[in-house]
Amino acid sequence: MSLFKSFATVGGATMLSRLCGFGRDVMLAAFVGTGPVADAFVVAFRLPNLFRRLFAEGAFNSAFVPLFARSVEEDGEHGARQFAGEIAAALFWTLVVILALAEVFMPLLVHLLAPGYYSDPAKFDLTVLMSRIAFPYLLFMSLLAFISGILNTFQRFLAAAMAPVMLNVVMMAVLVGIGFYGMEPNQTTGVLLVVGVAVAGVVQLAVVAIGMKRLGFSVPIMRPRWTPGVKRLLVLGVPGVIAGGITQINITVGTIIASLESSANSYLYYADRIYQLPLGVVGIAIGVVLLPSLTRQLRSGQEELVYHTQNRSMEFALALTLPAAVALVIIPDTVIAVLFQRGQFTDAAVEQTALALMAFAVGLPAFVLNKVLSPGFFAREDTKTPMYFAAVGMVVNVALSILLFPAFKHVGIAIGTTAAGWVNTSLLAFVLWRRGHFVIDSALMKRIPLLGFASALMGVVVYGGTLVLEPLSASNLFVVRASELVILVAIGLVSFGILVQLTGTVDFRAQLQKLRR
């Protein structure tokens, strides 16, 4: 499977998931709004996802995929099954212990993650209850990450990429029920939401389990043992807890600080959902495909192909994220209003969420480039170097969030997250280049400034479009506001396409010929 076909497979499935996610969040905003129940849900949902992204998607994948790929190549399918069984046993029982401890000490975890909630006993107790119900999601998603690593190593990307769609389908079904019965935001509503999260975890795990069965690969059931494979995974995985989860760690720091301001966590959550669309579609696709691809190429000694893969991945990332970042900076209020402004979501919520979105958008290219650069370390079984850079990024994030929060409130937290992302990505790029593990070719050197120039000009065109369409902005009708957004998006896409063609950044005729072949 070609690199870009793999990107398209994962990116397409992720796009479907994100669109379903927007449907979920549109209903969440309408039926729950930005009040206490919404704040409690954000923390309850974020808690298992934080652990999942740190231990499962971050540390586990960055360590497991290279080791499993090596096992497949050196020990064959039988050896790979043995290795997978050892890791599965260690992972499952570790998760069971973590889950049991978390359920017992959940009030402490909630207090650490959202200390501002403690001053409101009802809100704090609701958050603890919802977090306890939602936390088993970690177990299902960590096992999903394990099976996904196996599937991705064999270049079977679709099942793992489609699994997140199931979360949004289940959550939308729950929200449809809440809306149908006209339920007000209260404890019952919150409990139904997190029960939906737990059920969705089971459904998602089933999707990848079926994918592995179709692959014809089975994982033997074993008792946990301290084997060389488990030890090596642990050695690589501990640094990856920080390196793979830098964005999540930064968001968590923001959650803690934002809990000191009413509705701030909700503003950040909805803004995060918007910029996560391009980050998810592009960044996740690159991260999922690039690590097994680079690992395989390095194992076979294809250094030149490694450089080519990295250059084309960076080019692909910037071509999609630079114009997206510019657009989100230019029209954040229009995007937020069309997607979320209804029911409990007020004009003030639109304004505050849009400000956070602008700050996050500036960091979007950095967050995606992190997904391009990190596999260059992980594929060489180096998880310590990214860990050090992640620590630097965390210091930047915490310092800026604390310094800016008094003056800029939740927007200061978004600025801190963005600054940390750029610092981390810059360090990754510099060290890869110094080590000779990333050589920028002439094509990328030429296209980066051209992509930046085309994106900036596109921003000017879109801004001009907002001035022309300004009368539509005053309307409260959804159809009118949605039409305005569709027109602005079309203007952006067309103008960017024309500009990259005129500057020679992309030859659409050649790309169409490739598509025909």
Side-chain angles (χ1 to χ4, degrees):
M1 185 179 287
S2 71
L3 183 67
F4 289 109
K5 185 178 179 182
S6 300
F7 286 163
T9 298
V10 180
T14 306
M15 172 67 84
L16 177 60
S17 172
R18 299 294 169 156
L19 290 174
C20 291
F22 276 128
R24 177 195 78 194
D25 289 332
V26 165
M27 288 190 282
L28 185 67
F31 301 143
V32 184
T34 58
V37 175
D39 280 349
F41 175 73
V42 168
V43 173
F45 188 43
R46 183 163 289 162
L47 196 57
N49 275 290
L50 167 66
F51 281 85
R52 170 176 67 93
R53 286 167 179 167
L54 292 182
F55 295 107
E57 293 178 357
F60 184 80
N61 268 350
S62 63
F64 175 70
V65 170
L67 292 179
F68 182 72
R70 177 197 284 186
S71 180
V72 170
E73 185 170 326
E74 296 179 359
D75 304 323
E77 190 169 315
H78 176 74
R81 280 198 174 97
Q82 179 72 16
F83 175 74
E86 294 172 0
I87 301 305
L91 176 65
F92 177 79
W93 289 107
T94 301
L95 288 168
V96 168
V97 172
I98 291 173
L99 181 58
L101 291 173
E103 293 293 337
V104 172
F105 296 104
M106 191 59 72
L108 177 61
L109 286 175
V110 171
H111 186 59
L112 291 173
L113 192 62
Y117 290 9
Y118 197 69
S119 60
D120 185 343
K123 185 175 180 179
F124 181 82
D125 291 343
L126 177 60
T127 306
V128 171
L129 173 64
M130 291 171 64
S131 298
R132 280 181 166 144
I133 297 170
F135 203 80
Y137 186 69
L138 167 66
L139 174 64
F140 306 129
M141 290 302 96
S142 298
L143 294 175
L144 181 148
F146 165 72
I147 297 174
S148 297
I150 294 173
L151 293 173
N152 294 341
T153 300
F154 288 106
Q155 294 188 289
R156 301 292 184 90
F157 299 108
L158 184 59
M162 285 297 294
V165 176
M166 297 300 104
L167 167 67
N168 295 318
V169 170
V170 172
M171 292 302 295
M172 283 194 291
V174 173
L175 285 162
V176 166
I178 290 172
F180 180 78
Y181 288 105
M183 298 175 65
E184 293 296 321
N186 54 30
Q187 178 172 315
T188 304
T189 306
V191 168
L192 285 173
L193 288 172
V194 288
V195 167
V197 171
V199 171
V202 177
V203 176
Q204 288 178 268
L205 181 58
V207 169
V208 293
I210 293 170
M212 187 170 67
K213 184 178 181 181
R214 288 179 176 173
L215 174 64
F217 189 93
S218 60
V219 178
I221 299 174
M222 306 170 66
R223 62 180 177 83
R225 294 181 297 160
W226 184 250
T227 64
V230 172
K231 181 180 179 181
R232 182 60 179 160
L233 182 75
L234 184 64
V235 169
L236 293 178
V238 169
V241 168
I242 301 174
I246 179 61
T247 301
Q248 296 309 310
I249 292 170
N250 286 333
I251 290 173
T252 302
V253 170
T255 301
I256 295 170
I257 299 172
S259 69
L260 302 173
E261 177 195 357
S262 177
S263 297
N265 266 322
S266 298
Y267 299 146
L268 291 171
Y269 172 80
Y270 289 117
D272 177 76
R273 295 301 300 155
I274 300 293
Y275 91 88
Q276 284 288 338
L277 175 62
L279 175 58
V281 172
V282 183
I284 291 177
I286 289 174
V288 166
V289 174
L290 198 55
L291 179 55
S293 298
L294 291 182
T295 301
R296 194 171 56 253
Q297 292 162 8
L298 286 168
R299 292 275 176 266
S300 58
Q302 299 173 294
E303 288 287 340
E304 291 301 319
L305 184 56
V306 169
Y307 300 146
H308 175 79
T309 300
Q310 288 174 316
N311 276 273
R312 300 293 74 78
S313 298
M314 182 170 285
E315 186 178 302
F316 175 80
L318 291 174
L320 296 180
T321 55
L322 283 176
V326 170
L328 291 177
V329 169
I330 298 295
I331 55 169
D333 49 346
T334 304
V335 174
I336 297 295
V338 170
L339 292 176
F340 299 130
Q341 191 176 17
R342 60 191 55 84
Q344 304 285 332
F345 208 89
T346 63
D347 288 338
V350 170
E351 181 183 354
Q352 297 303 318
T353 305
L355 291 172
L357 178 57
M358 289 177 68
F360 280 136
V362 175
L364 177 59
F367 301 141
V368 173
L369 289 179
N370 186 290
K371 303 291 186 182
V372 176
L373 299 167
S374 294
F377 294 92
F378 298 148
R380 294 176 172 87
E381 297 183 19
D382 175 11
T383 55
K384 288 186 178 179
T385 302
M387 177 190 71
Y388 298 140
F389 298 157
V392 174
M394 280 192 293
V395 170
V396 171
N397 177 54
V398 172
L400 286 178
S401 295
I402 292 173
L403 287 172
L404 297 176
F405 184 74
F408 298 99
K409 302 300 181 185
H410 62 286
V411 181
I413 296 169
I415 293 171
T417 302
T418 288
W422 277 111
V423 168
N424 187 53
T425 296
S426 300
L427 290 170
L428 289 171
F430 178 73
V431 171
L432 270 183
W433 172 74
R434 280 290 299 271
R435 292 179 178 177
H437 294 162
F438 181 42
V439 179
I440 300 178
D441 60 23
S442 58
L444 182 62
M445 189 75 74
K446 172 188 174 184
R447 287 169 183 161
I448 287 178
L450 290 176
L451 285 170
F453 178 69
S455 299
L457 284 182
M458 180 213 72
V460 173
V461 174
V462 170
Y463 180 72
T466 63
L467 297 178
V468 174
L469 299 173
E470 191 171 3
L472 299 181
S473 302
S475 175
N476 291 323
L477 292 175
F478 171 77
V479 174
V480 175
R481 296 302 304 273
S483 299
E484 178 193 11
L485 180 59
V486 169
I487 293 170
L488 290 173
V489 170
I491 289 172
L493 288 172
V494 172
S495 61
F496 184 73
I498 292 172
L499 288 165
V500 293
Q501 178 70 33
L502 291 177
T503 57
T505 311
V506 176
D507 186 345
F508 284 119
R509 184 176 298 175
Q511 296 302 319
L512 285 172
Q513 288 174 352
K514 278 186 182 181
L515 214 57
R516 289 195 192 98
R517 290 199 296 272

